[in-house]
Amino acid sequence: KYELPSNVRNAQINIFDVSGKVMKVVNINSNKGTIEVNADNLAAGLYTYNLVVNGEIFKTSKMVIKK
């Protein structure tokens, strides 16, 4: 679940592999909701993702995909 301030013009989540290559970009089209990322085309392993709000990185975190 997420909720963004009303002044957000655009937001997206970028998912990177361990080498830093962008593997997936998920555009966020509303200020409130839930995001489900389809990881079928991502291999098992460690990934970094960041939330970009109005063109600036807001938060970065890591996730593990297990298959």
Side-chain angles (χ1 to χ4, degrees):
K1 286 184 131 181
Y2 70 91
E3 187 169 344
L4 300 172
S6 59
N7 66 338
V8 172
R9 294 181 312 275
N10 57 59
Q12 65 186 35
I13 294 175
N14 300 312
I15 301 173
F16 304 89
D17 67 10
V18 291
S19 72
K21 180 181 175 187
V22 176
M23 301 302 293
K24 191 171 200 98
V25 175
V26 179
N27 290 311
I28 300 173
N29 298 315
S30 65
N31 288 54
K32 187 176 182 181
T34 303
I35 295 178
E36 222 174 276
V37 176
N38 181 344
D40 288 346
N41 60 345
L42 298 175
L46 179 65
Y47 292 85
T48 301
Y49 63 94
N50 60 32
L51 171 62
V52 179
V53 177
N54 293 336
E56 294 185 25
I57 296 174
F58 180 75
K59 183 176 182 177
T60 300
S61 193
K62 294 181 181 177
M63 68 177 168
V64 175
I65 294 180
K66 296 181 180 183
K67 295 197 175 186

